Amino acid sequence: MAVQQSVGPDPYFPANGDSRYRVHRYELTLDYRPGPNRLSGAARINAIAGRSALAEFQLNLADFKIGRVRVDGRPAHYTHRGGRLRVRPAKPVRAGAAFTVEVQWSGNPKPVSSPWGGLGWEELDDGALVASQPVGAPSWYPCNDRPADKASYLISVTTPSAYSVVAGGRLLTRTTKASTTTWVYEQSAPTSSYLIGLSIGKYQTVLLGDPGLGGVPQHGHIPARLLPEFSRDFARQPGMMHLFQQLFGPYPFDEYAVVVTEEELDVPVEAQGLSLFGANHVDGARGSERLVAHELAHQWFGNSVSIADWRHIWLNEGFAKYAEWLWSERSGGRSAQQLAVAAHRLLATQPQDLRLADPGRKSMFDDRLYERGGLAVHAVRCALGDDAFFHMVRAWLGVHRGGSVTTATFAAHAARFASEPLDELFAAWVYGTALPPLPTPSAQRGAASA
């Protein structure tokens, strides 16, 4: 595992995260009542100080009532305003030392505001869901909210027994007492705070395909009324899983789940080991199949291999977009080259002022970033040839599994598999803004061995 943490605040979200320490594990104990939308929680956070002693540090947490804050079992001074929980331990944490933070909180969870509207915890007509990308995690639990600070999670959620709780990871136990049920999930793989997904609703659970011996269990959690449509729309997901494991390497987590809510969502949202779709993405005609492929691909690109900070988001979205094209190409649809032609034609009609390597906060979810990102990946494939390209991708995901990366890391990695320098390609596609000519496949080129 290779971890590359950015130094200092995230340039796009300087109020989120604290680079002076890193979290090893979160243990969250939650009680949620859907009717009054009431959440109470206790967190135990195991962390490690950086190179300097910590006289104080910060967590991110939205507007909740704080019950208590302790560091290493001792009461700590704290202030809580503007989404920041500033903690001052009774005695400074030594440089490099492990320490534990305990926080209790309660209140009515709601999305946190962002340039893209509310993010994070969303109360539904009958339940709740969490969709946190990029900075919505503090809407429901205290965290060091930076994508490179990845930790394992143990999550316990108690809610009325009529509701199911779905979280990314492995369901360890489900215990019913009187009218409530407690669900306990563990996500053992390193996970970014925004990638902890959660859904509370009235769902029917189905198994998608037969994972076979050593296969990946895949479950769907959907409203019963949508089961016929879901069964058709997600029928090919096991095939996607098989293909992506061939192309990208082993699936990086224990299980994969998809949730379909009763409500409509603008776009599906990936979490670690879990993707959330709206009822509008289920039509019985596979109308959103490319999105099914896109969200599954994020389990490799963005979740297992994460970005050091949000400037590098194209590494997540460009590869997930390209995975859509690969699925189309390998399942009887249009080829990646045909889809690249369409994407290039579309981008040629739009402003050419977006830089993949640093799009700016305003443009980090611009449709052009997705399309140009897919084209940049296609350009690398065309330059390397298929054998070297897929060897490069599998090595990239293997070396950096569980870690965090930057654009510069990827450029250096890809260059090792090329027979000719890729500097001009990255300068044009990734660091430049003008739209380069359409990349076209060339004869297979020899690849330098890894």
Side-chain angles (χ1 to χ4, degrees):
M1 182 181 76
V3 177
Q4 298 184 7
Q5 294 232 24
S6 56
V7 177
D10 189 305
Y12 291 1
F13 303 99
N16 285 64
D18 189 334
S19 60
R20 296 172 295 174
Y21 71 95
R22 59 185 178 87
V23 177
H24 171 68
R25 184 172 177 83
Y26 292 88
E27 296 179 356
L28 307 177
T29 303
L30 309 173
D31 187 292
Y32 180 66
R33 305 302 157 125
N37 185 38
R38 183 74 179 175
L39 177 69
S40 59
R44 181 180 175 89
I45 302 169
N46 299 320
I48 301 172
R51 296 180 179 179
S52 302
L54 292 176
E56 57 85 28
F57 57 90
Q58 86 164 31
L59 293 160
N60 293 105
L61 180 63
D63 186 21
F64 289 98
K65 179 182 178 182
I66 303 296
R68 72 179 185 191
V69 178
R70 292 184 176 180
V71 177
D72 290 333
R74 302 177 64 181
H77 296 282
Y78 66 89
T79 60
H80 183 215
R81 61 177 66 94
R84 297 188 193 190
L85 179 60
R86 298 185 183 275
V87 180
R88 191 170 82 244
K91 58 183 294 186
V93 178
R94 291 180 294 104
F99 64 102
T100 300
V101 187
E102 295 172 85
V103 182
Q104 291 183 346
W105 72 101
S106 61
N108 301 107
K110 61 183 180 180
V112 296
S113 59
S114 81
W116 309 278
L119 298 173
W121 190 284
E122 183 175 346
E123 181 186 10
L124 305 178
D125 290 340
D126 194 17
L129 65 81
V130 170
S132 293
Q133 187 178 10
V135 289
S139 67
W140 65 289
Y141 75 99
C143 56
N144 189 17
D145 193 31
R146 47 193 283 117
D149 193 12
K150 305 174 71 170
S152 66
Y153 283 77
L154 183 70
I155 304 174
S156 170
V157 183
T158 299
T159 197
S161 296
Y163 295 86
S164 297
V165 175
V166 184
R170 177 167 291 175
L171 177 62
L172 300 183
T173 61
R174 182 178 63 191
T175 307
T176 297
K177 294 182 179 180
S179 61
T180 64
T181 298
T182 299
W183 306 67
V184 180
Y185 284 87
E186 181 165 33
Q187 177 55 266
S188 58
T191 309
S192 302
S193 52
Y194 81 93
L195 287 171
I196 293 299
L198 184 69
S199 183
I200 300 171
K202 296 175 179 176
Y203 300 124
Q204 183 167 335
T205 299
V206 297
L207 180 67
L208 284 162
D210 181 358
L213 186 63
V216 180
Q218 301 175 64
H219 291 91
H221 307 272
I222 66 269
R225 68 177 181 86
L226 294 175
L227 182 57
E229 293 85 355
F230 176 88
S231 298
R232 175 169 173 78
D233 292 338
F234 285 77
R236 301 213 292 179
Q237 183 179 280
M240 294 176 190
M241 179 70 78
H242 180 70
L243 174 65
F244 290 170
Q245 290 195 99
Q246 285 185 326
L247 299 180
F248 307 148
Y251 178 72
F253 310 117
D254 293 329
E255 302 182 13
Y256 182 60
V258 294
V259 172
V260 178
T261 73
E262 283 279 9
E263 282 74 11
E264 295 189 356
L265 300 180
D266 290 340
V267 293
V269 181
E270 84 278 2
Q272 189 127 314
L274 171 70
S275 293
L276 303 170
F277 293 80
N280 51 309
H281 299 123
V282 176
D283 60 7
R286 299 209 302 256
S288 296
E289 188 168 90
R290 71 171 186 86
L291 300 176
V292 177
H294 185 104
E295 303 310 325
L296 176 58
H298 270 311
Q299 303 305 318
W300 287 266
F301 302 101
N303 297 9
S304 176
V305 178
S306 304
I307 50 177
D309 63 60
W310 290 106
R311 290 174 296 181
H312 311 287
I313 188 173
W314 84 273
L315 289 170
N316 297 356
E317 301 302 345
F319 270 100
K321 170 59 70 171
Y322 200 65
E324 297 177 26
W325 299 359
L326 290 171
W327 170 248
S328 174
E329 181 173 85
R330 301 298 181 97
S331 64
R334 288 189 289 173
S335 69
Q337 181 63 27
Q338 290 172 319
L339 290 164
V341 169
H344 194 273
R345 185 180 299 123
L346 175 65
L347 287 173
T349 67
Q350 298 179 348
Q352 297 180 27
D353 57 359
L354 183 139
R355 179 175 290 104
L356 283 183
D358 188 1
R361 187 172 79 166
K362 182 179 179 181
S363 298
M364 60 186 284
F365 296 116
D366 193 304
D367 287 345
R368 293 174 297 161
L369 181 135
Y370 293 65
E371 300 294 339
R372 186 176 178 121
L375 280 167
V377 174
H378 189 61
V380 173
R381 179 185 178 186
C382 291
L384 297 185
D386 275 12
D387 287 349
F389 173 77
F390 288 110
H391 186 191
M392 179 274 293
V393 169
R394 286 189 292 271
W396 170 251
L397 293 166
V399 168
H400 297 287
R401 178 170 174 159
S404 302
V405 296
T406 67
T407 297
T409 315
F410 176 67
H413 175 84
R416 295 173 54 209
F417 294 80
S419 58
E420 299 177 5
L422 298 178
D423 297 11
E424 291 185 4
L425 185 156
F426 277 88
W429 279 105
V430 178
Y431 293 101
T433 57
L435 183 65
L438 176 72
T440 53
S442 57
Q444 182 79 21
R445 303 179 184 185
S449 61

